[in-house]
């Protein structure tokens, strides 16, 4: 097979947004939900178990179809974001789905309302197929309020905290950043601005960051106030009303990771703060400066700019997968065989890359923007890794197939490492080797330590706000957080005190960020085990992926002999990085 850059085919989903098949899908969904609503009156602790199973199975079937329609809308929009039909269809679909969701909510609420004893009869029968799904709904039982209270929260959230979040995003998304590039002042978006801090011009890097936090800082007082309101609302609802023990434990329950495991992760990470400081000091030497500035942490050390043809890139990825296990290559190939990959760069096409899976009966879809850079090959391996993960878990029902957030990046990151190892093994050019390792550790910094310190700041900020801290207090605490993170390895400009008001995650999904660190360190530790064990590791790894989202994440790992409860496990991930820094330190600086 030859691999050519091009667009995917969405035919396996629907022939077109306005096809009779799509119209039929909407009608079927409408009909199925109306049918499902009839269960409302039948739900009771002593209802027939068969009937309960039918309700679950119907819901599963409807969810598959709803996911297909939603996936089509998303992919249709991604292939050309300027397409009016795609925009309108996306909006229509979202509105329709929100309506359906509200009409089926009653089932979860009823299920949560049962006593432990009352669920036993149902669980015995449903266990094998729907066990974890049903369990995960019930995990929230102790924190669920009465139906009228839940309704009030929902209704008030629309115009309350959700409106606040929308305002935050409306305000910050219209920011324009003015920076002089090549002697000309340009108006840039944040994305365009941030691309420049990865560039070779040291002065420009500094100007970009100064402009970024000047713009955010000018609104710092008001953005900080919005953050205070969101955090207060989060605490009022989750701790005072629902009874969670701490702000972070809300996220831990959604991720289904025990509090102690997250505490252990954060604690070990804090102990390893010095690792990246060593890396930044080393980077200063290579960039030929006494000390790095915070502006320089993403500066390129690279000199070699190799270009790759798409076909060669695909072959390289598939070969690397094949060497790890033929199963991985075979699954990845399915994405190409079924024309489920969109690889070319086109105007209007969504930037970046992603893998999308919906109905487990369908091979996932992958979108990349292939430019021929070494990075693009890594991205290809990453997204195909996601696809492999989904395909290995395709035997589960739709509720159990998608892995939960902390495990969602396992196969993608692991696949990237498999590829990089292969590249390093084949690369004889020392400069290229050095560049690969530099960018590996740089990426690890951004996904691990940067996110850990965001989470540590969030933990502190939530406590401070409960104790009436001002926006200035928070900005000062953020500065201290940065000083602790970087030690004496960098100089930090005063404007960084406003960095926290520029991080959408801490506004939108409190404590989301630690999952990035969890995922990346987990993979580093797993990869380490693979290196030590070789072949015998592969089936255990495939077992983790095949579990999808059918069990609590910690149990999935336990079954594969991976114990994330101990500090030693997490330290193992950092040790891999430490050895990479050792390797770089051993190279004489020219
Ligand atoms: Zn990913």
């Amino acid at each position: 097979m030859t691999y050519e850059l091009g667009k995917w085919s969405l035919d396996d989903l629907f022939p077109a947004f306005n096809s009779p098949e799509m119209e039929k899908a909407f009608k079927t969904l409408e009909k199925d939900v109306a049918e499902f609503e009839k269960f409302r009156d039948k739900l009771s602790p002593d209802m027939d178990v068969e009937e309960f199973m039918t309700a679950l199975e119907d819901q599963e079937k409807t969810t598959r179809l709803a996911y297909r329609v939603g996936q089509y809308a998303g992919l249709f929009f991604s292939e050309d974001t300027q397409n009016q039909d795609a925009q309108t269809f996306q909006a229509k679909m979202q509105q329709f789905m929100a309506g359906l969701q509200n009409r089926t909510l009653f089932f979860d609420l009823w299920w949560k309302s049962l006593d432990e004893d009352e669920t036993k009869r149902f669980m015995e029968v449903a266990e094998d197929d729907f066990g974890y799904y049903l369990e995960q709904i019930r995990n929230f039982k102790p924190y669920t309020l009465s139906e009228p209270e839940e309704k009030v929260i929902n209704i008030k959230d629309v115009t309350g905290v959700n409106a606040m979040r929308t305002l935050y995003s409306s305000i910050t998304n219209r920011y324009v950043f003015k920076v002089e590039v090549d002697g000309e002042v340009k108006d840039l978006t944040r994305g365009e601005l941030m691309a420049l801090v990865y560039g070779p011009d040291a002065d420009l890097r500094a100007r970009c960051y100064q402009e970024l936090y000047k713009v955010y800082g000018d609104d710092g007082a008001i953005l900080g106030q919005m953050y205070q309101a969101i955090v207060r609302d989060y605490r009022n609802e989750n701790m005072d009303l629902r009874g969670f023990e701490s702000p972070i434990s809300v996220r831990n329950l959604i991720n289904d990771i025990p509090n102690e495991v997250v505490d252990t992760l954060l604690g070990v990470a804090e102990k390893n703060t010095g690792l990246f400081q060593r890396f930044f000091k080393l980077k200063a030497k290579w960039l030929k400066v006494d000390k790095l500035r915070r502006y320089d942490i993403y500066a390129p050390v690279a000199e070699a700019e190799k270009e790759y043809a798409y076909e060669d890139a695909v072959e390289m990825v598939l070969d690397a997968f094949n060497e790890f296990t033929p199963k991985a290559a075979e699954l990845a190939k399915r994405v190409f065989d079924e024309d489920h990959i969109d690889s070319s760069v086109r105007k209007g096409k969504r930037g970046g890359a992603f893998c999308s899976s919906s109905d487990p009966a369908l091979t996932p879809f992958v979108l990349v923007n292939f430019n021929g850079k070494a990075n693009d090959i890594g991205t290809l391996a990453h997204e195909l890794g996601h696809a492999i993960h989904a395909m290995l878990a395709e035997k589960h029902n739709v509720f159990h197939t998608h892995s939960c957030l902390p495990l969602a990046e396992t196969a993608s990151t692991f696949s990237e490492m498999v590829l990089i190892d292969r590249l390093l093994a084949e690369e004889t050019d020392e400069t290229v080797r050095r560049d690969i390792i530099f960018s590996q550790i740089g990426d690890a910094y951004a996904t691990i330590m940067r996110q850990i310190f965001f989470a540590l700041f969030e933990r502190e900020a939530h406590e401070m706000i409960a104790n009436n801290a001002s926006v200035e207090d928070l900005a000062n605490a953020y500065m201290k957080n940065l000083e602790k993170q970087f030690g004496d390895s960098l100089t930090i400009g005063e404007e960084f005190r406003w960095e926290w008001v520029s991080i959408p995650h801490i506004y939108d999904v409190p404590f989301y960020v630690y999952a990035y660190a969890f995922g990346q360190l987990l993979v580093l530790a797993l990869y380490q085990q693979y290196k030590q064990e070789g072949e015998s590791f592969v089936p255990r790894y495939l077992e983790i992926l095949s579990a999808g989202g059918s069990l609590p994440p910690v149990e999935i790992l336990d079954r594969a002999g991976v114990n994330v409860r101990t500090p030693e496990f997490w330290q193992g991930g950092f040790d891999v990085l430490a050895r990479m820094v050792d390797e770089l330190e051993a190279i004489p600086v020219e």
Side-chain angles (χ1 to χ4, degrees), residues 59 61 67 124 143 192 216 279 381 433 436 461 494 500 517 553 561 565 586:
Q59 214 182 350
K61 208 177 91 229
Y67 277 11
E124 269 165 25
Y143 311 103
E192 291 165 332
Y216 273 92
F279 173 66
R433 282 182 60 85
I436 293 174
E494 256 309 288
W500 58 285
R565 288 178 194 81

Side-chain angles (χ1 to χ4, degrees), residues 353-355 382-383 386 408-410 412-413 416 516:
F354 65 76
C355 170
H382 182 103
E383 301 308 335
H386 278 302
E409 295 296 334
T410 312
S412 53
T413 315
E416 239 182 297
Y516 290 120

Side-chain angles (χ1 to χ4, degrees), residues 9 22 41 77 178 214 338 381 465 485 505 507 513 528:
S9 156
M22 184 65 82
D41 296 331
F77 178 68
K178 290 185 185 302
K214 183 191 173 302
E338 296 183 20
I465 291 168
Q485 179 180 177
H505 271 331
Y507 284 77
V513 290
Q528 185 53 22

